[in-house]
């Protein structure tokens, strides 16, 4: 997801997630990130731990330089950052620090300077056994997924109103399918996303072209595994590289028992991107006790953009839920190469390309 790594969070918050009453403005965010303490966090994040000598450090640093690291995310009015040296998630509320009403008894610039230093550091009780290359904050901001090629862990922060405004706190860190990744070192995590509007379910795309759905309460085994290779009838040199999800208000499928999010269930449509630029899709319902998926459908395109061009590959896909829903596809050359208009009421109708 290198092409959309920076833009996906802003696109998602604008189109696919409910807008909160207030969000972080660019000026408020800049006022936080320019603080000396945050500069120290960013500087430390660039340095790799030297636990096994200089040769080990150089190899880790070499691997990291080739891997995009996206360790900061904004959710609502809060900024989240993974601090590798402390094995901790650093959180601050920009609204509380910058945009709330200022005490009349204190000059505004002094108030801002004082409160911008108030941050919460959530240290993992069991640090992840892998290098974290990105984070994914849950829809309501109560959990943070630590993602790396060799695994995924979830930091359970609890409700926002129970977090201390500053200081340190030990947070529970839940390893997702830890034994599976340790026993299968050739299988890596390609992408990790939270199920739309669900704090309890997380979704992984692995390098073996499987999409795995997990309940945080049962992290050892996936509640559902969808083998994307089943979408093709013949062997192909192209693998699946990314996916995106769109919330479904209602899906008229006999194979699915849809429950509204208020009753404990949520439905979504998954779009899986193949490296040749084509897209396959299926519907999924996540309930408290089970996760159900429909059959794979596709491809959505008659002619894949990179069917015969092996020098390029599609690496990123993004769903934008606008008045005309659209799927955007980007390549490994960091260019948007294709757009697919998605039929809103019946996605089985052939999609138009733009």
């Amino acid at each position: 997801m290198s092409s959309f790594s920076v833009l996906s969070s802003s696109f998602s918050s604008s189109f696919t997630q409910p807008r909160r009453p207030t969000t972080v403005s660019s000026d408020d965010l800049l006022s936080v990130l320019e603080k000396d303490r945050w500069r120290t966090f960013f500087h430390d994040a660039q340095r790799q731990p030297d636990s096994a000598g200089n040769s080990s450090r150089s190899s880790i640093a070499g691997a990291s330089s080739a891997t995009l690291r996206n360790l900061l995310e904004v959710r609502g009015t809060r900024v989240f950052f993974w601090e590798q040296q402390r094995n901790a998630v650093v959180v601050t509320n920009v609204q509380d620090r910058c945009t709330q009403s200022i005490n009349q008894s204190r000059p505004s610039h002094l108030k801002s300077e004082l409160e911008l230093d108030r941050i919460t550091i959530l240290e993992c009780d069991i640090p992840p056994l892998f290098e974290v290359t990105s984070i994914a904050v849950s829809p309501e901001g109560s959990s943070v997924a630590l993602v790396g090629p060799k695994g995924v862990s979830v930091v359970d922060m609890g409700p926002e109103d129970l977090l201390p405004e500053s200081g340190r706190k030990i947070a529970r860190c839940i390893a997702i399918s830890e034994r599976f990744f340790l026993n299968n070192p050739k299988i890596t995590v390609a992408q990790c996303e939270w199920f739309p509007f669900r704090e309890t379910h997380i979704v992984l795309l692995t390098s073996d072209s499987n999409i795995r759905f997990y309940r945080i309460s049962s992290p050892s085994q996936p509640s559902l595994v969808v083998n994307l290779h089943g979408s093709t009838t013949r062997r192909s040199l192209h693998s699946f590289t990314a996916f995106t999800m769109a919330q479904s208000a209602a899906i008229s499928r006999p194979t699915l028992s849809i429950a509204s999010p208020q009753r404990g269930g949520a439905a979504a449509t998954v779009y899986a991107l193949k490296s040749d630029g084509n897209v396959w899709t299926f519907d999924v319902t996540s309930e408290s006790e089970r996760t159900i998926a429909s059959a794979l459908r596709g491809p959505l395109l008659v002619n894949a953009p990179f069917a015969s061009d092996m020098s390029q590959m599609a690496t990123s896909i993004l769903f934008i839920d606008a008045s005309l829903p659209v799927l955007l596809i980007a390549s490994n050359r960091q260019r948007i190469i294709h757009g697919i208009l998605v039929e809103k009421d019946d996605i089985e109708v052939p999609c138009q390309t733009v």
Side-chain angles (χ1 to χ4, degrees):
M1 294 290 289
S2 59
S3 302
F4 287 132
S5 60
V6 178
L7 297 178
S8 61
S9 60
S10 59
F11 271 127
S12 300
S13 62
S14 300
F15 295 100
T16 62
Q17 297 174 4
R19 300 295 294 178
R20 294 176 181 254
T22 55
T23 56
V24 177
S25 70
S26 57
D27 291 339
D28 290 345
L29 182 59
L30 186 61
S31 66
V32 170
L33 302 184
E34 283 187 335
K35 294 293 294 180
D36 291 339
R37 194 165 188 181
W38 283 90
R39 289 178 181 271
T40 301
F41 289 144
F42 298 148
H43 181 266
D44 291 343
Q46 296 176 357
R47 299 185 306 181
Q48 300 298 323
D50 187 9
S51 58
N54 294 331
S55 60
S56 175
R57 181 179 65 177
S58 62
S59 63
I60 295 177
S64 300
S65 62
T67 303
L68 182 68
R69 297 170 64 86
N70 188 19
L71 304 179
L72 184 143
E73 188 168 329
V74 178
R75 176 72 74 242
T77 60
R78 292 192 293 170
V79 178
F80 301 80
F81 180 72
W82 171 247
E83 218 285 302
Q84 188 86 29
Q85 302 295 327
R86 296 178 176 85
N87 285 311
V89 176
V90 180
V91 187
T92 190
N93 193 316
V94 177
Q95 180 189 28
D96 290 345
R97 308 301 175 252
C98 296
T99 62
Q100 284 184 339
S101 58
I102 304 301
N103 263 336
Q104 298 299 325
S105 61
R106 185 180 304 161
S108 61
H109 70 279
L110 294 179
K111 177 79 172 179
S112 179
E113 286 291 319
L114 174 65
E115 295 203 345
L116 280 172
D117 284 333
R118 295 168 59 184
I119 62 175
T120 304
I121 299 178
L122 301 168
E123 298 179 345
C124 296
D125 59 349
I126 303 177
L129 301 177
F130 53 88
E131 181 187 9
V132 177
T133 56
S134 65
I135 65 172
V137 181
S138 63
E140 293 298 324
S142 64
S143 300
V144 177
L146 310 175
V147 186
K150 298 297 184 181
V152 174
S153 291
V154 174
V155 179
D156 181 13
M157 301 188 303
E160 179 179 358
D161 54 358
L162 296 182
L163 279 179
E165 290 187 351
S166 62
R168 299 176 182 271
K169 177 183 177 181
I170 301 298
R172 186 168 65 119
C173 190
I174 306 167
I176 303 297
S177 210
E178 183 177 53
R179 181 173 297 180
F180 170 80
F181 289 108
L182 290 175
N183 293 336
N184 298 274
K186 292 184 178 181
I187 297 178
T188 58
V189 178
Q191 187 181 343
C192 173
E193 301 288 345
W194 289 90
F195 199 91
F197 304 102
R198 297 284 283 183
E199 297 287 300
T200 56
H201 292 69
I202 201 165
V203 188
L204 309 183
L205 170 64
T206 48
S207 58
D208 57 352
S209 292
N210 283 293
I211 293 183
R212 305 171 189 272
F213 296 80
Y214 291 89
R215 293 195 305 271
I216 304 302
S217 59
S218 304
S220 300
Q221 297 291 334
S223 57
L224 174 68
V225 178
V226 176
N227 183 3
L228 299 175
H229 285 309
S231 64
T232 57
T233 57
R234 60 181 181 178
R235 292 181 61 112
S236 172
L237 297 176
H238 297 280
S239 60
F240 286 86
T241 56
F243 73 97
T244 188
M245 291 179 290
Q247 186 193 30
S248 301
I251 305 174
S252 56
R253 308 244 173 237
T255 57
L256 296 180
S257 175
I258 303 300
S260 65
Q262 290 77 14
R263 296 179 181 176
T269 300
V270 180
Y271 299 94
L273 177 67
K274 212 171 183 182
S275 58
D276 63 1
N278 225 323
V279 178
W280 298 75
T281 182
F282 62 93
D283 302 323
V284 63
T285 300
S286 174
E287 299 176 344
S288 58
E289 297 297 330
R290 60 178 181 169
T291 305
I292 313 169
S294 68
L296 284 162
R297 303 185 301 277
L300 297 186
L301 301 177
V302 177
N303 298 312
F306 302 140
S308 58
D309 183 5
M310 300 302 295
S311 65
Q312 298 188 65
M313 60 184 297
T315 56
S316 304
I317 184 170
L318 183 64
F319 176 81
I320 299 180
D321 187 11
S323 56
L324 290 176
V326 64
L327 291 169
L328 295 181
I329 300 172
S331 72
N332 56 338
R333 297 183 180 177
Q334 299 184 352
R335 295 178 180 177
I336 297 177
I337 59 166
H338 213 66
I340 303 175
L341 293 179
V342 178
E343 189 70 25
K344 209 165 191 178
D345 298 326
D346 184 1
I347 57 176
E348 282 191 337
V349 173
C351 300
Q352 301 175 5
T353 61
V354 295

